């Protein structure tokens, strides 16, 4: 019983690091942002990837809210409503993990290489318009955050 409580507490703490985005009310003038998975590699034996999109208050990334996140196991797109005619700041982060057997010191174990790329974009969505947001990223560290109308 104690072990399950500790696990539940740890999951709650990890999930609570960045709160989930709070949608604007249906009656509020809004636009939609569809966040898309922007990588094609990262699945298979010894490989994984994680991609997150946050909506933040400003260029200093204050008060982040997680608008979408992707792994190999979930849907390739998530849609969120945002206030229209008000500047939106979006942070995108993609991490690639690749593991291999052995270590550099020839000791038993495994090596995990992690590469990460982050981007920040800002724009003002127009009332009633729909936008696609994609963080095109590769394990080599290159990435572009693209917002299309």
């Amino acid at each position: 019983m104690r072990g399950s409580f500790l696990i539940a507490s740890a999951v709650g703490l990890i999930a609570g690091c960045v709160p989930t985005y709070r949608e604007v009310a249906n009656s509020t003038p809004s636009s939609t942002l569809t966040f898309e998975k922007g990588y094609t590699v990262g699945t298979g034996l010894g490989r994984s990837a994680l991609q997150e999109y946050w909506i933040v208050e400003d260029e200093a990334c204050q008060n982040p809210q997680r608008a979408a996140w992707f792994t190999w196991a979930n849907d390739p797109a998530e849609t969120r409503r945002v206030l229209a005619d008000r500047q939106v700041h979006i942070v995108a982060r993609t991490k690639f993990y690749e593991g291999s057997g052995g270590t550099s010191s020839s000791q038993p174990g495994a090596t995990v290489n992690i590469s990460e790329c982050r981007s920040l974009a800002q724009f003002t969505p127009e009332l009633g318009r729909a936008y696609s947001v994609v963080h095109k990223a590769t394990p080599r560290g290159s990435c572009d955050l693209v917002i299309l109308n």
Side-chain angles (χ1 to χ4, degrees):
M1 179 70 168
R2 183 174 182 226
S4 61
F5 174 74
L6 291 174
I7 291 170
S9 296
V11 169
L13 287 172
I14 292 168
C17 291
V18 177
T20 302
Y21 177 70
R22 289 176 295 177
E23 296 276 348
V24 298
N26 286 335
S27 58
T28 304
S30 62
S31 301
T32 59
L33 304 180
T34 298
F35 296 92
E36 300 176 14
K37 189 183 291 188
Y39 62 90
T40 56
V41 299
T43 59
L45 187 60
R47 285 194 230 160
S48 186
L50 170 68
Q51 189 168 63
E52 295 180 285
Y53 293 92
W54 304 336
I55 294 177
V56 297
E57 282 185 8
D58 52 31
E59 292 178 10
C61 301
Q62 298 295 312
N63 299 319
Q65 295 180 42
R66 182 180 294 125
W69 65 279
F70 302 104
T71 67
W72 61 272
N74 61 353
D75 292 333
E78 293 186 34
T79 301
R80 300 286 181 254
R81 266 190 332 279
V82 296
L83 291 173
D85 301 321
R86 184 170 158 191
Q87 194 170 53
V88 175
H89 296 81
I90 300 169
V91 173
R93 176 177 79 164
T94 304
K95 282 185 146 184
F96 293 97
Y97 305 87
E98 186 167 358
S100 61
T103 63
S104 59
S105 63
S106 300
Q107 298 296 316
T111 300
V112 177
N113 295 312
I114 302 171
S115 62
E116 178 176 345
C117 188
R118 290 185 186 212
S119 301
L120 170 68
Q122 56 193 12
F123 80 109
T124 303
E126 296 177 13
L127 178 63
R129 303 295 293 262
Y131 300 88
S132 295
V133 181
V134 62
H135 193 229
K136 297 179 180 182
T138 69
R140 303 274 185 266
S142 67
C143 60
D144 291 306
L145 182 53
V146 179
I147 301 170
L148 299 172
N149 182 347

